[in-house]
Each structure stands twice: as structure tokens, then as C-alpha cells.
Amino acid sequence: MVGLTSAAGLVGFLSESDPDLQVFALKRLNDEVDLLWTEIASSVWRIEALYEDETFPERELAALVIAKVYYHLQEYSESMEFALGAGKLFDLDQEGEFEETIISKCVDTYIALSAMHHPAAPASTANQPPPQLTTAFPQNPDGGASTSASLTSPTTPFSQSTLPSKSLLSRQAASSTFDPELPGGGNAGVVGAHPSPLTLPRGILKHLQAVIEQLFERCYRQGRYRQVVGIAVEARELSVLRQVILRASQEDKAQVDAMTGQPVGGGGEELMEYVLDICMGVVQERGLRHEILKLILDLLNELPVPDYFAIAKCVVYLSEHALAAEILRQLVEKGDTASTAIAYQIAFDIFDNSTQEFLGKVVEGLPSSAVPPPEEGAPAPETAPLLPAADESSTPIPEAQRTVYAAIDGILKGTKSIELNLEFLFRNNHTDINILNKVKDSLEARNSIFHTAVTFCNAFMNAGTTSDVFFRNNLEWLAKAVNWSKFTATAALGVIHRGNLSQGMKLLEPYLPRDAIVAGSVYSQGGSLYALGLIYANHGTDVLDYLRDQFRKLSNNGEEVVQHGGALGLGLAGMATGSEEIYDELKSVLYADSALNGEAVGLAMGLVMLGTGNTKALESMILYAHETQHEKIVRGLALGMALIMFGRQEAADELMDGLLNDPDPTLRYGGIMTLAMAYCGTGSNKAVRKLLHVAVSDVSDDVRRVAVMSLGFILFRKPSSVPRMVELLSESYNPHVRYGAAMALGISCAGTGLDEAIDLLEPMIKDPTDFVRQGALIAMAMILVQQNEAMNPKVGAIRKTLQRIISDRHEDAMAKFGCALALGIIDAGGRNCTIGLQTQTGNLNMAGIVGMAVFTQYWYWFPLTHFLSLSFTPTSIVGLDHELGLPQFTFHCATRPSLFDYPPEQETKTDQAPQKVATAVLSTTAQAKRRAQKKEKQQRPESSLTGPRPGTPRATTDQMDLDDEGAAKAADAKSGDARPAPEGDATESPGVASGEAAKKKAEKEREKEKEKEKERLGYDLGNMTRVLPAQLKFISFPEPRFEPIKKPTGGVILLLDTQPDLPKPMLELKAKRAVQRAAAPDTLNDHIQAAYRTRDAAAAGADSATAQNISGGGAAEAAGVLTAVDEDEEGEEAEVPRDFDYLSEDHLDEE
């Protein structure tokens, strides 16, 4: 049948009164609408009239024709409404552009309508108003937190943005008001709280729901469950999310394996893992994330075989400490080996992803393992209660369970994990001491900034390794540290011994303040308290009481330097404890209005209240920040407030807006840091837009710099997006913006070796501004940490560039300082650490993010540089058996060994004395010499002429006298034109032998190159070896005896021994062995007592010889260097003591 060329006749039929003609016209128009829609559009009102006539028999057909016409007119909303009105005539299974477009529009509408009826919950708990800062900022008549925020805010709320309505990024409430009595949770009726809601007729809504259900059923049949999950999450329909997970689990049970006859399974669990991943990585709204996690937790608990690791991940994020304790208790009570290993693994995972406060509550919820069960017939203790508590079991805990609980207690307190990390770094230390010596020799120690730079370089290179070799071998250089350089050098011991919980106090005891009259340098005492906090950072249970006691005593003594270090140490050790007592003690010192102490105290207050969002603390800090006149105090308080809002997301918006609208640039700086900490790792579009706006609009260079830099904190989970975002900013006319762009690249791309980031940083290394070069060097080192030339070919050239800059006498001091830091960062932790802002399981690494954030404040205060060590994460696989022992086993890596190998040690040329240049000999001089020699020869008696003939030239005439062996070697080398032959080869002539030796060496080199080209693919690694994050996907465990209980993610992995009856070789802890050997006749306590006697003698005016005789060991020598009174205080420079040895290096001497 020939197609129609005009629709005029058919459109005319629509005006007829006969329904049959109208139906015939509609059927023909439906077939030809794609070609004739331009003519039909002018008469679409006729078809609409037919659709609205309830007596017309083919209303659905009329609706379908209208929908197609509106589709061609690109009026998709109207097209969707009429397509839904077409009922069954709109076939979802028919493939076509029209159907796909309408389905997409239906999904968007469904998401928008569902989101309107399920509004975003507040960031606080359900039906609880979010915290309001009542006294923080000026209030407007309507109760707004900021009088000008709504008028001058640079960011348009997402509810008024032009983003698609289905995007999770676009649903942000424009109003901070909250009324739980309103339907929908409090903000469903707020104007502007949701994108323009659609008003659809009830019948259309029913058809829309039917279409969505058909779409879901089609996805179920085809196994495309993830599409349904995406729609459900976007629409906030948790009932649909629950339905799809259960449907997937039922389908798995229905599918039976033909070989075994058992259900296949796996799909439901994989779907749940997918939901958990998008919940943690994609969903940005904290309230929705909590609801989804609770749903997943309920579903996981309903499984016949619960996935304890997924449950633990949800429990940690939801802060359900009681449930975490209950899971551990259930596993321990099972008593079998596998359950015990799972309990240990969960304890390790909880420790890696939780705060001190959460861990403490979990430990409190576990049965006590310290009290053994009472013996039969033994009298009850006097302190025992008459009746047992309601929540305590009347039956005693078996001995086996008490042992397991004791081990879990040690894991949750961090003792075991830190011990294993310390052992790993101790055992695999690959620090290149030549680089450190090169840095020391290139930087003049008399310059304070250079001395401090070398200290930081050494601390970072040896972080956590307990290796003090550099300090031990360079005591004369160490003695040149004065004032704050001495403070920094003493604090570096905390970085080097970080995690050495068993010996931390003993190692620093010679430097710590004493109860008696303060003697020695206050800078070393303050640095020692700071070092103590670094050793016990985020795990300060054992030293919190000591630090609090010292801080109270220092508050009375008035030693500001020591108090400064005490505040930093107290904040580090009490990180995220939320202790009101510590906070009040710090606040009392803050009110003394000391600029030096106030900065450290403000930072410490934020560290203690880290992530708590404590409104009371914020109000007092904001109030004092507006009252004080000291910029250093304001800066410390601003950073402290940012830390309090760590991870709070929407709950921090009020504080953030108030700070950003403050006229003080330091408080605006704090507002940007608050934004960075609250939204760190979320990739929030809202936060990124705010930062980019401030980066180009604020009048303060400091604020603009930190705004660009904070992009790295927001986007470190999406590092590939950062180079494109900061590309133009890296070419800004403002050097502060360029510096911020460099640091943003370093923070977000740390450890990735991303080529795009390196390409942006390479030109910045040659920037005309010195501090931009400094930032580029530091960022480059962060990106290339643990990278070798096989992973990134530019590593070798960049390392040479760093060596060149550090030795360039004409380079600026700031660039050299950055280069020294870069050399330490790129080889961090003995080349066994990376910079980890997220844990191995994908959660935020709280300590690492905080350490990086405070490290960036080195711009204002150099001692804060040590905080970077908190973000150093060991990269290892440590296998433990069910008894927490270290078995000897191997696992396989399916790559070439060179791909993830350690970088080769740098061939650093030592500075040599200048060699004499050969003197040019003139022809007249040579002739005069020959005449003199000829005359001398003629004057000799003939009997002494035993040399060669007169015509034979003498080989040694113009050369130095050589011994017989040297002359023979020289002759051989000259005659054979090669190296001398090996000794004992007397059968061949020297020339032939040396020539063959050279050929053999060349052949060996060629063979090595061929072996490198034919390098085998795949190799085995032993327990407690370095495994990079990029290497994990190539790791497998083929050994049949030891099987991991979960997929390897790096770090500690529990292993199941499938052959427990066979003997099991174990690894010996070298670090622990070294500690035990310290209990020899010359113990560490002896050294400490000798150090005290030396310091007391020096304080009493004893001569140096007497003091040296009293001194007895290496620790005393170190104390003599760092605790000596500075030259500007006593007018006399401390004498350099003799060499000393740290006890932690005993194993090196033995090996």
C-alpha cells in the first residue's frame, strides 16, 4: 500500500460525526504520524477533544496519537501524560525511540514525585532538630543564622538549580527550619524544598505506577536488578529497595546447580554488596545513607548465613556500638576456630574504621576478661555485689572464651594492630641513608629553616621504623638545633617511634618535664610532650592521664613553650574521645589569652571533639574568636571548629555559612576548612561549587589558597576528576591560587601516580614564585610515593630533579625546604608507607585526613608539619592464624617482580675534595726538561747506566714513582688495553687475560639485560611483606594449607589452617625481641638514670668532664644534645656528646 503524502483527508475525517470514520482516521494517522506529524500538529486539538469525550470508543488510541505528536514537538511532559493515558496501547516491550524517551520521562517523574513524598531527613537523628548555634552569629528577625547569608551567598541552593530533578546532587533543602509535626518529616511542605513537583491527575498517576511496575518486572525477568536499585535509591523508595534485594535472593534459591543439586546463590549477596557500595560512595545525603544502611543491616541479619563483614561495615558507620559488641559476643560463644577467626577479623576492621570513643564503648559492651571465674568454695570478695546486675550473666566465662575476649580487647585498643605495623616497618625498612646525608650536607645547619627541613626529612623517611641511625651518626649537626628547631627535632622522635606503645614513655623519659625544678631546654621538654602525643596518636589511653597531669602542672608554672607542646600532645592522644574534662582544661588555658598557647589549645580542642559536632563547644569557641585580638588564637580556633565538624555534612552548613560571611579573613579561612572537613571524601557538587566560587571571589589570598586546596579533600575518592578541575587555576595570575592547585593535586591524587596530575605539576616546579615551587615539589612527592619507574617512567627523572634542587646553591630557601619535605615524603616509612585518606575497606581514614589537614598549616607554623605522619599508612599483607600468631606462608602475585619492586637506591655522590688539574706543559718547557735529562745522563758514570738504550723512551720519566705491584698493573693495563686479569691466572699473558675478563663482564651484562627482558610472570611473597594497593588485584592464595577468611584488602588478614595437625613454622617478632634484649645489664633504665644525673650535674654547674663521666649510655647522650640549654639562653653552647646507640637498633648490630 502506497504511503500517504498528506494528512489533510484523514484530519478531515476527524470532524465527521460517524465514530467509525474517526477511528479509521486515528488508526491511519497512528501509522503515519512519524511522517505527517507537522500537518497533524495544527489539528491536534481535534484529537484531544476525542480523547476527552468519554463516549468515544477509542480514547486510548487518540491519546497515543497525541503523545506521538507532542513527542515530535519535544513537549515530553505532555507526551508522557497522553502516553500514560493510552493504557495498554503504549507497549513497553516495543523497541523504539519514542518508547525509550517516554519510559525515561516516566522514571524521572516517578523519582521526582517519590522524592517529594519522602523528603531528605535532617542530618541529625530522626525527629530530632539539628543543632542550632544560638549565640554564634547575628540572628535576623526570621531566625536565620546569618543576616547576609541568604542575600550574598555565592552558592544557589540545589533545590533552585538547573540540575536534572532525578539527581541526588540536586536535592538539598533550601530552608534550615525543621518541624517534625509536619507530614513527610518536617520539610515536605517547605516552599523550594523540592524541585517543581508535578500535579498529575489521579488516573495518570495510577498509569504511571503501573508503567513503573511493568518496568521493574521486566528488569526482574532479565536479571537487571541494579537498574531497579538505582531508581529506588534515587526515589528514596526503601520498600522497592527491600523488594528487589529479596527478589534477587529468591531467584538465587530457585536456580539449582545441575552438578550438585544445590542452590546457586551469590546474586543476592552481590546485589547487597552493590547497594552497600553505592550507599557509601554515591549517596551524599547523610540521612538517606543512614536509612539505607539500616535497611541493609536488617536484611543481612535475616540471612541464614549472615555476612558478618558487611554487617560490621554498616555497624561502624551507624555507630551501633551495642550491636558490634553483640556480634563479637555471638561469634566468640560459638567457640569454633572459624568463628574465632571471623571475630578477630571484625575486631581489626572495626579498629581501622572507628574512633576512640566508639571503640571504648564496644570494649565496655564485651564481657570482662580480666576477672577469672571464682574457684569452688572460695569466699566472695568484699566488694562483690549481693545480687548480680540485670545485664550480667550468672554463669562464669570459660577460660577459652576469656582468652579470646582478652585478645579482642587488645585488638580494639590498637595494641595488636600497631604492634604488627611496627614489626612490618621495622623488618622491611629500606630507607636510603645516602639521600639523608646528601640533604644534610646540602643545607646549612646554621640556618634554622634548613635544620628544620632536614629534621622533617629524616622523620618522614623513618616514620614508624624506630630507626634513629641518622640522629645517632650526626650528633654534631643535631647539637646546632636551637629554640624551636630543638622543639621540632625532639618531636621528630615521636614520628620515628610512632606506634611504639610499649616503649614510648621510656624512650622519651629523658626529655619529658620532671616534677622537680625545670632544668635544661624548655623547647626539648615541649617537643617531648608533642612527641608523646605523636607516638600515641588516636590511641592515647595509656598516656592521657599523664599528659593531663603534666598540662595542669604547666598551667601553673607558666612555661608557654612546654605548654604549647603539651596541648598538641594532649590533643593527639585524646583525638576523637569527646572528653568534656579534657576540653574544659584546654578551655581554661585558652582564656589566659596567650598567643603561643592559644593556637595549640584551639587546635587541641578541635582534636578532642573531633567529629562530634558539639554545639556547646562551637559556641564558646566562636565567641572567644570574636573577642580575642591574637590572630594565632583565631587561627587555632578556626581550625579546631573545622575538626569538630568532621564528616557532619549538612549539619555543618550553618556554621560554614556564618564563618564564610565573617569580615575576619582568618574566620573565613576556618569556614573553608569546615567545608572541607564536613564534606571530605563525599565528592559533593554543592561543596565544589562553593569552593570554586570563593577561590575566584574572596579578597584574601589566604582564603583563596585554602579554597582551591580544599578541593583535594572533597574529591580524593575521585582523583581523576581533579586535574581537569584545577587545570585553569594552576595557570592563575595569583601565586596563592597556583599553590592551592598544586596542593589539591597532591592531596587528592596521593599515591596514585596519576599522569595528568604530574603533567600539571611539572611546569609548576619551575614557577617564578618560590612558595609555588615548594607546593609543587611537595605535591609531586605525595603523588609519586611508593612509585617506581616500572609503574611510572617519570619517577627517575623527578627524583633527579629533587636531588638537583636540594644541592643548588642559588635556589630559594622556601623551595629547598619543600624539596627536603618531598624527599622525605616520597620515601615515607622506609619506603613502606603510602598516604592513605581512606582505609583499606573504603571508609574515611579519620586520622589520615586530620593529619593532612593540619599538615597544610605548616604555612603558618612549621612544627605542625609532623602531623603528616598520621596519614602514612603501611602497605602490607600480614597473615595471622586463629591464635594471632604469624605463620610462615606464601601467596602469589601474578605480575613481574620489577613492577611493584622497591625503587633502587640513589647513587648519591659524596662531596670529594677538589682534585688537582693536570698542569699544561709548554713545548719550551718540555725541551728544557729533555736537555736537562740528557745532560744529567751524560754526567753519570757508565757503570750505573743499566737502563734502556738511549733511543728508547722512558715510560716513567714524567710520572710519579709506583711500587712494583702498581707498576705491573699499569703495564698490564696498557699492554692489554683492558682491566688486569684475576689473580692466580699465570698461564695467560696479562694482556690476553685482561681482555678476556672485559669480554666476560660484557657478556654477563648482556645476559642480565636478556634476563630482565624475559623476567618471569608471577612470583611468590612471604608473610609480612610489602603489597601496594594497586598490587592487591593480582594477589592470590594458592597455598592449600592457609586460606583467608575474606577477600584480601591489605593489612591484617586472618587465615584458616586446613591442616592444624601438622607442625606450623612461625615468624619471630624482631622488634619485640629487640625490646626484650634491652633488659641486659646495661638497660634503658640505666641510661635514663644516667641522663638525669648528667642533666642535674650540668644544672648545678659541674664541668663537662664530670658530667661526661657520670653519663653512661646512648640515651643519655641524646638527652645531652636535645635538652641542653640553648646558647641564647645561657650564653654558652652545649658540648657535643660522643656517639650513642638507641636500643631499638640492636637488631641491626647483630645482623
Side-chain angles (χ1 to χ4, degrees):
M1 184 176 179
V2 180
L4 295 177
T5 58
S6 175
L10 295 175
V11 170
F13 285 162
L14 296 177
S15 302
E16 298 290 337
S17 59
D18 187 357
D20 293 335
L21 291 177
Q22 294 171 341
V23 170
F24 171 77
L26 287 175
K27 289 182 179 179
R28 291 300 308 273
L29 290 175
N30 183 44
D31 295 335
E32 306 292 341
V33 66
D34 292 334
L35 297 176
L36 306 177
W37 64 270
T38 53
E39 295 184 57
I40 302 173
S42 60
S43 301
V44 71
W45 59 273
R46 298 180 185 274
I47 308 177
E48 290 184 10
L50 294 177
Y51 170 71
E52 294 173 358
D53 185 2
E54 295 182 359
T55 61
F56 185 66
E58 294 290 343
R59 294 181 62 229
E60 294 180 350
L61 179 61
L64 182 61
V65 175
I66 298 171
K68 291 182 178 180
V69 172
Y70 277 122
Y71 162 74
H72 287 292
L73 292 173
Q74 297 185 1
E75 297 290 344
Y76 299 124
S77 297
E78 288 80 359
S79 177
M80 179 201 68
E81 291 187 33
F82 284 104
L84 293 174
K88 296 181 180 180
L89 293 181
F90 177 61
D91 188 4
L92 296 180
D93 296 328
Q94 183 176 351
E95 296 182 358
E97 186 176 350
F98 167 71
E99 287 76 13
E100 292 179 359
T101 304
I102 298 304
I103 291 174
S104 176
K105 187 64 181 177
C106 289
V107 171
D108 290 348
T109 306
Y110 170 76
I111 290 173
L113 292 173
S114 298
M116 184 183 68
H117 294 291
H118 300 85
S124 61
T125 57
N127 289 334
Q128 294 291 331
Q132 300 290 329
L133 300 176
T134 56
T135 62
F137 304 104
Q139 300 286 319
N140 59 22
D142 297 331
S146 166
T147 55
S148 59
S150 60
L151 298 177
T152 61
S153 176
T155 304
T156 303
F158 274 173
S159 59
Q160 302 172 14
S161 67
T162 57
L163 293 176
S165 59
K166 68 176 182 177
S167 175
L168 281 178
L169 303 178
S170 64
R171 293 191 210 111
Q172 302 293 333
S175 175
S176 61
T177 59
F178 178 78
D179 184 3
E181 296 181 358
L182 290 177
N187 53 4
V190 178
V191 178
H194 301 283
S196 304
L198 296 174
T199 55
L200 298 178
R202 185 176 299 273
I204 299 298
L205 287 176
K206 291 178 60 178
H207 288 301
L208 176 63
Q209 188 66 32
V211 168
I212 295 299
E213 291 177 358
Q214 293 179 33
L215 183 62
F216 287 168
E217 285 295 330
R218 187 172 68 177
C219 292
Y220 293 154
R221 292 194 303 269
Q222 299 175 357
R224 296 184 297 176
Y225 299 108
R226 295 190 177 188
Q227 293 187 8
V228 182
V229 168
I231 296 174
V233 173
E234 290 277 354
R236 303 176 178 276
E237 287 286 355
L238 299 186
S239 59
V240 176
L241 186 60
R242 182 185 184 90
Q243 178 186 355
V244 66
I245 295 176
L246 294 176
R247 183 72 176 264
S249 300
Q250 293 173 0
E251 293 292 337
D252 290 341
K253 294 178 182 178
Q255 296 178 3
V256 179
D257 192 348
M259 300 293 295
T260 62
Q262 299 294 328
V264 177
E269 297 178 0
E270 292 179 1
L271 184 63
M272 207 170 301
E273 291 180 3
Y274 171 73
V275 175
L276 188 59
D277 289 340
I278 65 170
C279 179
M280 302 300 295
V282 177
V283 178
Q284 297 181 6
E285 297 174 15
R286 198 176 181 194
L288 177 60
R289 190 183 302 132
H290 274 259
E291 293 176 5
I292 297 176
L293 287 175
K294 289 179 181 178
L295 171 63
I296 296 175
L297 195 57
D298 294 339
L299 293 174
L300 288 171
N301 289 325
E302 293 176 3
L303 294 176
V305 182
D307 185 354
Y308 288 106
F309 301 114
I311 292 175
K313 193 172 183 180
C314 297
V315 163
V316 170
Y317 190 86
L318 294 172
S319 297
E320 296 284 351
H321 53 84
L323 184 55
E326 180 62 26
I327 292 172
L328 293 174
R329 188 184 299 112
Q330 291 177 4
L331 290 169
V332 173
E333 290 175 354
K334 288 184 178 180
D336 59 300
T337 302
S339 298
T340 302
I342 293 174
Y344 287 151
Q345 186 69 66
I346 290 176
F348 279 112
D349 292 345
I350 291 175
F351 168 76
D352 289 337
N353 298 285
S354 305
T355 63
Q356 286 194 78
E357 183 181 11
F358 182 84
L359 293 171
K361 291 179 179 179
V362 175
V363 171
E364 292 175 0
L366 293 174
S368 176
S369 60
V371 181
E375 299 180 1
E376 295 183 1
E382 296 181 0
T383 57
L386 296 177
L387 295 175
D391 58 344
E392 292 182 358
S393 176
S394 58
T395 58
I397 302 175
E399 180 65 25
Q401 292 185 17
R402 290 200 306 110
T403 304
V404 176
Y405 281 129
I408 291 176
D409 183 79
I411 294 172
L412 293 176
K413 290 182 178 178
T415 307
K416 191 64 179 179
S417 294
I418 295 174
E419 177 188 0
L420 294 172
N421 286 336
L422 187 70
E423 174 68 22
F424 164 70
L425 296 174
F426 190 87
R427 182 186 292 263
N428 298 281
N429 187 10
H430 282 71
T431 300
D432 192 349
I433 196 66
N434 292 328
I435 297 178
L436 271 174
N437 291 330
K438 177 67 175 179
V439 175
K440 177 184 70 71
D441 296 338
S442 300
L443 301 180
E444 179 57 51
R446 290 177 296 181
N447 193 332
S448 176
I449 185 176
F450 289 159
H451 194 286
T452 303
V454 179
T455 299
F456 289 140
C457 183
N458 172 52
F460 291 160
M461 277 193 180
N462 294 289
T465 63
T466 71
S467 175
D468 303 287
V469 175
F470 181 76
F471 279 162
R472 179 181 55 182
N473 295 338
N474 296 278
L475 281 173
E476 185 176 355
W477 168 85
L478 188 60
K480 296 179 181 179
V482 294
N483 298 337
W484 288 105
S485 295
K486 183 172 292 184
F487 178 93
T488 305
T490 310
L493 296 174
V495 178
I496 294 172
H497 293 279
R498 180 170 179 251
N500 195 356
L501 305 184
S502 59
Q503 272 195 314
M505 284 290 295
K506 293 182 179 180
L507 286 166
L508 294 175
E509 198 166 355
Y511 315 95
L512 294 169
R514 300 176 61 189
D515 295 336
I517 300 174
V518 177
S521 174
V522 294
Y523 294 97
S524 65
Q525 295 174 25
S528 65
L529 293 175
Y530 184 16
L532 193 64
L534 289 168
I535 291 177
Y536 292 89
N538 203 25
H539 310 98
T541 307
D542 299 332
V543 295
L544 267 179
D545 293 336
Y546 171 80
L547 285 170
R548 290 179 62 184
D549 183 58
Q550 289 293 327
F551 191 72
R552 282 193 295 265
K553 292 177 181 178
L554 293 170
S555 301
N556 300 326
N557 295 338
E559 286 290 350
E560 292 188 348
V561 176
V562 187
Q563 206 170 10
H564 181 90
L568 292 176
L570 187 58
L572 283 164
M575 184 186 298
T577 58
S579 173
E580 295 284 352
E581 294 79 7
I582 299 177
Y583 177 83
D584 292 337
E585 292 174 4
L586 292 167
K587 186 169 63 174
S588 63
V589 177
L590 175 69
Y591 289 160
D593 205 43
S594 169
L596 181 59
N597 290 344
E599 182 177 23
V601 167
L603 174 58
M605 292 164 71
L607 289 171
V608 171
M609 292 292 176
L610 179 64
T612 61
N614 191 306
T615 307
K616 181 180 178 182
L618 289 171
E619 289 175 355
S620 61
M621 294 171 75
I622 295 170
L623 185 63
Y624 194 76
H626 285 106
E627 291 178 355
T628 185
Q629 301 297 318
H630 295 291
E631 183 181 350
K632 291 175 70 68
I633 296 179
V634 177
R635 182 175 297 111
L637 290 172
L639 186 57
M641 288 186 286
L643 296 178
I644 291 177
M645 282 300 181
F646 176 84
R648 306 296 294 181
Q649 297 186 17
E650 296 89 354
D653 287 350
E654 183 185 1
L655 173 65
M656 177 186 67
D657 291 335
L659 292 175
L660 288 177
N661 288 280
D662 197 281
D664 187 350
T666 307
L667 287 179
R668 295 203 304 275
Y669 185 101
I672 294 296
M673 290 301 299
T674 302
L675 175 62
M677 292 295 98
Y679 289 91
C680 59
T682 62
S684 170
N685 193 20
K686 166 187 174 179
V688 170
R689 289 170 58 185
K690 174 79 78 172
L691 292 174
L692 291 175
H693 177 90
V694 175
V696 297
S697 64
D698 200 278
V699 296
S700 171
D701 285 335
D702 288 349
V703 178
R704 298 180 67 179
R705 181 180 68 248
V706 75
V708 181
M709 184 167 57
S710 296
L711 291 171
F713 289 104
I714 305 297
L715 298 168
F716 67 78
R717 281 178 168 167
K718 303 174 182 177
S720 59
S721 63
V722 179
R724 183 178 67 256
M725 187 172 296
V726 303
E727 183 176 4
L728 293 178
L729 295 173
S730 66
E731 301 174 359
S732 171
Y733 73 94
N734 190 327
H736 293 268
V737 174
R738 298 201 301 271
Y739 173 89
M743 292 300 292
L745 290 170
I747 294 168
S748 60
C749 305
T752 63
L754 195 65
D755 291 332
E756 293 84 354
I758 296 174
D759 292 340
L760 286 180
L761 288 173
E762 281 180 329
M764 301 177 73
I765 293 178
K766 303 175 184 179
D767 195 274
T769 307
D770 51 359
F771 63 79
V772 176
R773 297 198 299 274
Q774 179 190 82
L777 292 169
I778 294 173
M780 186 74 78
M782 290 181 181
I783 295 173
L784 294 178
V785 63
Q786 287 197 324
Q787 299 280 317
N788 57 23
E789 292 196 32
M791 300 171 68
N792 194 314
K794 294 184 178 181
V795 171
I798 291 172
R799 284 183 176 270
K800 291 180 180 178
T801 301
L802 295 176
Q803 296 281 349
R804 176 184 58 78
I805 293 175
I806 202 71
S807 58
D808 188 356
R809 296 181 179 272
H810 303 288
E811 187 60 76
D812 292 320
M814 293 186 70
K816 281 192 172 185
F817 179 85
C819 187
L821 292 184
L823 286 169
I825 293 169
I826 201 171
D827 290 335
R831 297 181 173 178
N832 292 301
C833 289
T834 188
I835 296 177
L837 301 187
Q838 55 183 336
T839 62
Q840 300 280 5
T841 55
N843 288 352
L844 296 180
N845 180 8
M846 182 189 65
I849 295 172
V850 171
M852 179 64 74
V854 181
F855 161 73
T856 59
Q857 307 307 304
Y858 82 89
W859 180 279
Y860 304 102
W861 190 232
F862 281 162
L864 297 180
T865 307
H866 283 312
F867 270 80
L868 183 61
S869 62
L870 301 183
S871 64
F872 290 161
T873 305
T875 53
S876 63
I877 283 184
V878 180
L880 300 179
D881 59 13
H882 69 282
E883 297 176 348
L884 299 184
L886 283 168
Q888 293 185 10
F889 77 102
T890 58
F891 52 93
H892 186 74
C893 180
T895 63
R896 293 181 173 84
S898 61
L899 181 59
F900 298 107
D901 198 8
Y902 287 97
E905 292 191 1
Q906 297 292 316
E907 298 180 359
T908 306
K909 297 181 180 179
T910 57
D911 292 338
Q912 299 178 353
Q915 299 179 354
K916 293 183 178 180
V917 182
T919 305
V921 180
L922 300 177
S923 58
T924 54
T925 305
Q927 293 176 359
K929 285 184 177 182
R930 284 196 295 271
R931 284 195 297 269
Q933 291 174 1
K934 185 176 181 181
K935 185 176 181 181
E936 181 182 358
K937 182 181 178 181
Q938 292 175 355
Q939 292 176 354
R940 292 179 183 176
E942 293 182 1
S943 59
S944 64
L945 297 177
T946 58
R949 297 180 181 179
T952 304
R954 294 176 59 87
T956 60
T957 301
D958 297 329
Q959 297 181 4
M960 296 176 60
D961 295 335
L962 303 175
D963 56 4
D964 296 339
E965 184 179 359
K969 290 181 179 180
D972 292 342
K974 185 175 181 180
S975 60
D977 196 19
R979 294 185 178 181
E983 295 181 1
D985 192 0
T987 59
E988 298 180 358
S989 62
V992 174
S994 60
E996 290 183 355
K999 291 180 181 178
K1000 290 180 180 179
K1001 184 177 180 181
E1003 290 178 359
K1004 288 182 179 180
E1005 291 179 353
R1006 285 194 294 269
E1007 289 177 0
K1008 288 182 179 179
E1009 292 179 358
K1010 290 181 180 179
E1011 289 179 359
K1012 189 174 181 181
E1013 293 176 357
K1014 298 180 180 180
E1015 190 177 11
R1016 67 183 186 279
L1017 185 65
Y1019 60 101
D1020 292 335
L1021 294 169
N1023 194 6
M1024 198 166 273
T1025 54
R1026 187 183 82 152
V1027 177
L1028 304 185
Q1031 191 177 358
L1032 286 172
K1033 57 186 176 183
F1034 302 104
I1035 296 297
S1036 60
F1037 289 78
E1039 188 171 335
R1041 179 169 183 179
F1042 295 102
E1043 298 178 356
I1045 64 173
K1046 73 167 190 174
K1047 183 179 179 180
T1049 57
V1052 178
I1053 298 177
L1054 269 295
L1055 306 170
L1056 290 178
D1057 189 357
T1058 59
Q1059 301 172 359
D1061 298 333
L1062 298 179
K1064 181 167 51 179
M1066 307 295 289
L1067 292 177
E1068 183 182 3
L1069 294 178
K1070 294 184 178 181
K1072 189 174 182 180
R1073 184 187 64 184
V1075 172
Q1076 293 173 347
R1077 286 201 308 269
D1082 190 15
T1083 63
L1084 181 61
N1085 187 51
D1086 297 334
H1087 298 329
I1088 293 169
Q1089 296 301 325
Y1092 288 154
R1093 292 193 295 272
T1094 303
R1095 190 167 64 182
D1096 293 340
D1103 58 287
S1104 59
T1106 305
Q1108 189 66 36
N1109 291 333
I1110 295 175
S1111 176
E1117 305 285 353
V1121 171
L1122 291 177
T1123 63
V1125 179
D1126 296 334
E1127 183 178 0
D1128 58 346
E1129 293 182 1
E1130 297 291 338
E1132 181 178 358
E1133 186 172 358
E1135 183 177 354
V1136 178
R1138 63 177 181 270
D1139 292 344
F1140 68 98
D1141 293 327
Y1142 273 112
L1143 290 177
S1144 58
E1145 291 296 325
D1146 290 347
H1147 71 289
L1148 295 176
D1149 300 334
E1150 290 184 2
E1151 294 177 356

